Amino acid sequence: MPSHRRRFLTVPTAALTALAVTQAVTSLPAGAAPTTEVSATLAARTTSAPHAADISGSGQAVVWSQTTTADTAAHGWLAVSGGTPQDLGRLADTADTVTVHAVSVQDGVVAVATSTNDALPDHVTLRHLGSGDEDVLPVAYDSSGAAGSERYRGQAGDGILVQQSYQDDTSAYLVRLLLRTPGGADRTLLSGDEQYEVLDSDADGALVLRRTAPGWGYEIVYVDFATGATVTVAEPTTEELPQALEFTPAHVGVVDGATLTEWRRAAPGDGPATVTLPVADARWISDDTLAWYQRNDSDASNELLAMSRDGSTAAKDLGGTFRYVDVGDDGRMRASLYRPDVDAAIQTLTDGRVSTAAGDATAIPAGLARLDALALSDGALYTADDSSREDGVLLRSDLTAGPSGASASTPSRVLAYSGGPVHQTLAAAGGRVLVDQTDASGAGQLQVYENGAQVGTPLDHDGSSVTVADFDGTHALLSDRTTMANGTLRLYTFADGHSERVPSGSALYGGAVYSSERNGTTTTWSIHRTDLTTGTVTTAATVNCVPGGLQVRGSRILLTTCGAAATTGLLLTAGSSATTTVDASVRTPILGTDVLYTFTKAAGSADVTLNAQSLTGTDTTAHALFTLPDRANTAAAERWTVDRDAPWAAWMDDAGVTHVTWAGVPTTASATAPAGFSPNGDGSADTWAPTWAYDRPVSWTLTLKSGSTQVRSLTGTAADGKVAPVWNGKTETGGTAAEGAYTWTLTVQDTVTGRSAADLTGKVTLRRTAPAATVTAPAVASSAATSAAVPVTWSAKTAGVTSYDVGWRVATRDSAGTWKLGPLHTWRTATTAGSAVFGKAGSPVQPGAGLTYRFYVRAHDDAGQTGAWSKAATTGIPVDDRASALHYTGTWKSVSASSAWAGTERASATKGAYVSFTADGTQLRVVATRRSNGGRFAVVVDGKTVGTVDTYAARTAYRQVVFTRTLGTTITTHKVQLRVLSGSTSGRSTVTLDAVLVTR
């Protein structure tokens, strides 16, 4: 078969130990987020260690197959003597999409077996590391098995081994093993058999498992390429290999128990020699080392043990995770060592030990992880990848968008998974993630995890196109072949494994399932909400079209289409008749919390742009976020996602970098807006200074109106998100704004994205006059009641008063006998009432007889001002006629009277009878009862008569202040007598005393 030679990369032999080529970084595609967005990136995951079967060693050279970018074609890699890995480029001979099946290196030649039909290799590229020459050898594989069909079986130095089918003279179907070299004719090495498997090979020979004719038994032979000579090494009864095979530069043989039967490769016809090995468990054998696996029952793992071939060193557990053992064409044994999430390594073994010699270890750095799926929920980004390894991982990164921009925390592992195909099903909601773990056959389980632990009952499936339509953390809506045929969805509850059918197009939100149902034969449809706990069904909305799929967030409901074969959707709010049409012609729109995601495509372009429209701000424009990245193929996961619970979107580029983009509008974290102010120059609340703290840098405008007339507009920017305007009470032209209430509106726009937040509005009152109030109370408590309860009233003297504080003070005698006015106490605070009774329920004290109370009031207004305390209203509490401080001389009689002060009176009609007492105060008042038999009495102060009182009245009047006398401006002590005089007539001679009051 002809070959094709070309130059690819010259690597001088002398420089093979010092290769240092840096891996190129793929540039970002045109779909990168624009600079007007708030975005962050997460570095590509470098956890893609190649599988052991993709690694091959020869002498000091190691080659392997590995992708350089996520979801792209594999490259070949080379490292020599532990040097820096060198990228050999795409493992393909054309620009066509190819599949890499095997990569190996022998005697300085790299062999790469590839195909363009995703079946078995249809050509092998041989790359000569020393000269830089490249040869392409075709393999005529056509999958038919007919005569001439070929299969690649392995490398033979600068040639390849090919199995070719043919028919003999009797038309029997047979195969032969060919050695194919560049520019030379094919050489037949073996023929007349059914099948070949090359167990090991180098540039000089191969160890081959053949299925022989005519009995179709099994035979393992060594074939020498130079002479064509063969020697049978073993004849197993099945295709299962013997315990171990030897294939070194000098010998070939087979191990049975502890016995090695070997032939010299230089003279295989001389017959075998027998060697007794120090152990009977060997599985791999080289010139100096034996190695084997031994099961560790404590953790069900396999440990790799090794020892020197001659028994000079004891067996040793090599530790680590060794996955693959091989003997190179230099006769040295090598094992592939995996270090999860770090790298892989090819480690040389010498005399049963890991070699520490320079060049005997080659680290294979981790490549880029392969994306399985992306998910976003409530500001958390979940990334699933299988890392091109047997075990995959699920990572979480928390997202924030503050004044300094967007940021993403370092990804942390949520859980590790294992199984066959990559995860293409990943959903997140309510702090939980839903993953689909499948095996190689495609069967698997839908599982829910919370904080890395599995919760609920997994759902088994057979891999038959199970699609997750919705997930809320507890339930999932699924479609499969069964439900699609019935026009339904499957509602699965992970808590208990309950499953039921619901109408197609249903949605989950807030512990309920939403479904649409036609209203009888009408053209209207109802959107029903079914509570998944109680089963209660309510109608959330009614529409006049055939609803497509439903999406629900909060009170908003999105019909992905509205009407049969429609290309528009409908956005509505439960309980409202208002609706908004939504374009659904490019892709199905997505409803998030306070954001609507839509898709557009420019004419003549295949690129699809994701747009975000805020549903809370005043800006209804749909802003472009990014161009959707292509996925590797139709079976691969989408490389973008949106957050339905927070305004975030994410996508991954070809270089494996994940981009997150904030799609929201600024929101307030705190706000303080005083109800009013008083620009009167008194140094208190002379300006109105509200503050709002936004989570983003914003530009703002504050508008103040009186009715519909704009009075003032203030503008500014806040790089830290702190909006702090100040209004001094002036109009736009510098005039003085009138007193009264004003309506304010705050409009805010993100300075980076230009998106507007929702307007804020409220009222502020401007007052220049301090609020004032007045208080009234009876001068003598007995004037209002028969007991010590003082009715107090207060009222505003200025406009805009909203509440009052009421206080009181009382004069008492200290330990030295001096009367002093006490401190001001608060009785009522911010009360809206206009009166209260001091001494009733809620009173701070019970008023005491003989004491004088002073009451004060101050006002609060709608501008937030507090006025000064008012002048006092003074009320004295009289001393009852029965008080011990009153001393009676002559004939006096105590009389009960419910209308009298404290319910009693003291009466006398005896001329000369008197009552005496000490008066310490500034004013004297005498309380008596006026009657038709009322007589007269004299008031004597400090021995001097200062007045005469006649208590006659045609009708009885209780609790009358019949005498008032100012004693002085300061509190001094006075001696007082009330002396009964002769009546004006014989029937008017009785004096009825009720109480006395000395004001202090």
Side-chain angles (χ1 to χ4, degrees):
M1 304 283 290
S3 67
H4 305 281
R5 170 155 291 191
R6 63 189 180 200
R7 306 283 291 181
F8 80 105
L9 177 65
T10 300
V11 185
T13 304
L16 285 177
T17 59
L19 291 174
V21 179
T22 303
Q23 176 182 350
V25 178
T26 304
S27 61
L28 299 183
T35 56
T36 55
E37 296 301 329
V38 181
S39 303
T41 58
L42 288 83
R45 283 269 296 158
T46 54
T47 59
S48 178
H51 193 276
D54 294 330
I55 305 173
S56 175
S58 175
Q60 295 296 299
V62 176
V63 295
W64 63 93
S65 169
Q66 189 176 42
T67 59
T68 57
T69 57
D71 293 327
T72 58
H75 284 215
W77 293 82
L78 163 72
V80 180
S81 298
T84 303
Q86 176 189 350
D87 186 354
L88 298 179
R90 282 188 61 188
L91 294 179
D93 63 338
T94 70
D96 298 333
T97 301
V98 300
T99 300
V100 178
H101 295 276
V103 59
S104 61
V105 59
Q106 293 179 8
D107 202 20
V109 179
V110 176
V112 182
T114 57
S115 68
T116 56
N117 56 10
D118 202 27
L120 293 181
D122 54 23
H123 56 285
V124 179
T125 303
L126 299 173
R127 305 187 181 198
H128 299 259
L129 298 178
S131 66
D133 291 339
E134 181 177 283
D135 296 294
V136 180
L137 298 178
V139 179
Y141 171 73
D142 62 9
S143 75
S144 67
S149 179
E150 298 177 344
R151 296 191 179 190
Y152 174 63
R153 289 307 190 196
Q155 183 182 3
D158 60 355
I160 62 173
L161 299 173
V162 177
Q163 173 185 300
Q164 186 182 73
S165 61
Y166 68 97
Q167 291 181 335
D168 63 9
D169 295 338
T170 64
S171 298
Y173 176 86
L174 298 171
V175 296
R176 52 192 165 216
L177 185 65
L178 305 178
L179 173 62
R180 181 169 294 162
T181 56
D186 290 347
R187 288 182 52 203
T188 300
L189 301 177
L190 297 170
S191 63
D193 296 315
E194 183 188 50
Q195 184 179 356
Y196 300 107
E197 180 181 349
V198 176
L199 304 177
D200 222 331
S201 65
D202 57 19
D204 300 316
L207 198 61
V208 182
L209 173 65
R210 61 190 298 192
R211 187 86 185 271
T212 61
W216 308 122
Y218 292 94
E219 187 178 70
I220 298 176
V221 299
Y222 169 70
V223 181
D224 183 79
F225 295 157
T227 65
T230 63
V231 60
T232 300
V233 174
E235 295 183 88
T237 57
T238 67
E239 63 180 344
E240 184 176 349
L241 296 178
Q243 171 185 319
L245 294 169
E246 179 188 30
F247 188 84
T248 69
H251 293 89
V252 61
V254 62
V255 179
D256 182 11
T259 301
L260 166 63
T261 303
E262 64 178 7
W263 289 260
R264 289 187 304 119
R265 293 180 64 178
D270 290 349
T274 301
V275 179
T276 301
L277 301 176
V279 295
D281 299 319
R283 292 294 182 274
W284 298 273
I285 184 168
S286 68
D287 287 338
D288 66 354
T289 297
L290 302 175
W292 64 95
Y293 278 127
Q294 179 174 295
R295 181 176 175 80
N296 184 341
D297 292 331
S298 64
D299 61 2
S301 65
N302 287 324
E303 298 171 343
L304 181 64
L305 281 74
M307 65 181 296
S308 59
R309 175 169 171 166
D310 61 7
S312 59
T313 61
K316 180 181 180 180
D317 181 358
L318 297 182
T321 306
F322 289 93
R323 299 286 184 87
Y324 182 72
V325 183
D326 193 17
V327 179
D329 57 7
D330 58 353
R332 305 182 73 184
M333 186 180 297
R334 295 178 178 85
S336 61
L337 172 65
Y338 278 76
R339 289 175 285 198
D341 289 349
V342 181
D343 56 21
I346 290 293
Q347 188 69 60
T348 301
L349 306 183
T350 302
D351 287 330
R353 298 293 183 268
V354 174
S355 173
T356 58
D360 279 350
T362 297
I364 303 172
L368 295 174
R370 184 172 67 208
L371 171 71
D372 288 347
L374 290 170
L376 274 167
S377 177
D378 208 15
L381 172 68
Y382 297 89
T383 306
D385 68 75
D386 71 356
S387 304
S388 296
R389 298 181 292 116
E390 293 182 4
D391 298 327
V393 294
L394 181 65
L395 305 172
R396 170 179 171 143
S397 183
D398 294 322
L399 310 177
T400 56
S404 60
S407 62
S409 65
T410 301
S412 59
R413 178 173 292 191
V414 176
L415 62 96
Y417 60 82
S418 61
V422 297
H423 283 200
Q424 294 180 24
T425 297
L426 174 65
R432 293 180 172 182
V433 290
L434 171 66
V435 297
D436 181 11
Q437 304 216 64
T438 58
D439 58 25
S441 67
Q445 287 184 332
L446 290 175
Q447 301 172 353
V448 174
Y449 288 85
E450 182 175 15
N451 297 324
Q454 185 175 325
V455 296
T457 304
L459 174 61
D460 294 323
H461 66 82
D462 61 3
S464 57
S465 301
V466 174
T467 301
V468 178
D470 208 351
F471 174 65
D472 66 358
T474 305
H475 313 84
L477 288 176
L478 312 169
S479 65
D480 54 28
R481 289 183 301 182
T482 302
T483 57
M484 286 186 289
N486 285 273
T488 61
L489 289 173
R490 182 179 186 183
L491 173 62
Y492 185 78
T493 303
F494 287 94
D496 56 10
H498 175 71
S499 182
E500 62 181 282
R501 290 182 184 272
V502 297
S504 178
S506 296
L508 293 169
Y509 185 76
V513 61
Y514 290 77
S515 303
S516 59
E517 182 181 7
R518 186 174 182 177
N519 296 321
T521 59
T522 69
T523 59
T524 64
W525 293 70
S526 292
I527 311 299
H528 294 311
R529 180 189 186 276
T530 303
D531 190 288
L532 292 174
T533 300
T534 64
T536 303
V537 179
T538 56
T539 299
T542 302
V543 294
N544 295 317
C545 63
V546 180
L550 300 179
Q551 296 180 26
V552 182
R553 277 297 178 274
S555 61
R556 298 187 182 95
I557 302 173
L558 174 67
L559 280 59
T560 55
T561 58
C562 184
T567 58
T568 58
L570 194 67
L571 181 64
L572 51 94
T573 302
S576 172
S577 60
T579 60
T580 304
T581 58
V582 180
D583 181 22
S585 60
V586 177
R587 288 199 179 192
T588 301
I590 303 172
L591 176 62
T593 301
D594 296 334
V595 64
L596 177 65
Y597 298 96
T598 57
F599 303 87
T600 53
K601 184 165 60 175
S605 173
D607 292 337
V608 175
T609 300
L610 174 68
N611 310 289
Q613 174 186 341
S614 172
L615 299 176
T616 59
T618 57
D619 183 5
T620 59
T621 305
H623 296 268
L625 297 182
F626 51 78
T627 299
L628 301 186
D630 294 330
R631 50 186 177 179
N633 52 65
T634 56
E638 291 277 10
R639 295 195 297 170
W640 65 273
T641 188
V642 299
D643 193 335
R644 299 189 63 197
D645 302 310
W648 289 96
W651 61 283
M652 181 177 281
D653 63 28
D654 289 338
V657 176
T658 301
H659 303 259
V660 291
T661 300
W662 181 68
V665 297
T667 57
T668 54
S670 63
T672 301
F677 71 118
S678 54
N680 52 17
D682 64 355
S684 176
D686 283 331
T687 60
W688 182 55
T691 60
W692 294 272
Y694 281 88
D695 58 356
R696 296 282 305 134
V698 296
S699 59
W700 53 269
T701 299
L702 180 68
T703 304
L704 294 129
K705 291 183 177 181
S706 176
S708 60
T709 303
Q710 181 172 312
V711 176
R712 188 72 185 272
S713 178
L714 303 170
T715 61
T717 59
D720 58 359
K722 296 180 180 177
V723 177
V726 176
W727 184 33
N728 59 4
K730 298 293 185 179
T731 65
E732 210 75 73
T733 58
T736 300
E739 286 195 356
Y742 292 82
T743 299
W744 59 262
T745 301
L746 179 68
T747 301
V748 168
Q749 188 177 63
D750 193 293
T751 56
V752 177
T753 66
R755 302 186 200 126
S756 298
D759 287 352
L760 300 178
T761 188
K763 289 186 179 297
V764 59
T765 302
L766 185 156
R767 299 287 180 193
R768 289 188 170 82
T769 303
T774 183
V775 61
T776 60
V780 184
S782 60
S783 298
T786 60
S787 62
V790 183
V792 184
T793 61
W794 53 89
S795 61
K797 295 175 65 177
T798 57
V801 171
T802 57
S803 64
Y804 305 87
D805 298 334
V806 183
W808 61 279
R809 303 173 74 184
V810 63
T812 56
R813 192 194 301 266
D814 64 14
S815 59
T818 303
W819 288 91
K820 291 183 177 180
L821 188 61
L824 179 66
H825 301 282
T826 301
W827 176 26
R828 294 282 190 270
T829 301
T831 180
T832 58
S835 63
V837 177
F838 193 77
K840 292 282 189 175
S843 179
V845 296
Q846 183 64 36
L851 299 181
T852 302
Y853 294 85
R854 290 169 173 81
F855 300 99
Y856 309 82
V857 65
R858 66 180 179 181
H860 305 286
D861 68 10
D862 51 10
Q865 298 185 97
T866 299
W869 288 102
S870 67
K871 292 182 178 180
T874 302
T875 298
I877 310 300
V879 175
D880 184 44
D881 63 281
R882 293 170 294 178
S884 60
L886 302 181
H887 304 283
Y888 295 92
T889 301
T891 302
W892 292 88
K893 181 180 180 182
S894 181
V895 180
S896 295
S898 60
S899 297
W901 177 255
T904 63
E905 299 173 320
R906 190 69 58 99
S908 177
T910 304
K911 179 181 178 180
Y914 64 91
V915 56
S916 61
F917 54 92
T918 301
D920 296 329
T922 59
Q923 195 172 55
L924 170 66
R925 289 184 175 88
V926 179
V927 180
T929 302
R930 293 184 183 274
R931 286 190 171 91
S932 59
N933 64 347
R936 295 182 304 128
F937 67 89
V939 181
V940 181
V941 178
D942 295 330
K944 183 179 179 180
T945 300
V946 295
T948 300
V949 179
D950 188 351
T951 63
Y952 167 79
R955 300 181 63 179
T956 302
Y958 293 95
R959 305 188 315 280
Q960 300 297 298
V961 176
V962 295
F963 178 81
T964 300
R965 173 78 176 184
T966 299
L967 301 177
T969 58
T970 60
I971 299 176
T972 54
T973 301
H974 303 274
K975 300 296 184 179
V976 180
Q977 284 186 353
L978 304 180
R979 186 179 294 274
V980 179
L981 302 177
S982 59
S984 58
T985 65
S986 59
R988 299 178 183 177
S989 59
T990 301
V991 174
T992 305
L993 182 65
D994 196 355
V996 296
L997 171 64
V998 180
T999 302
R1000 302 177 178 93

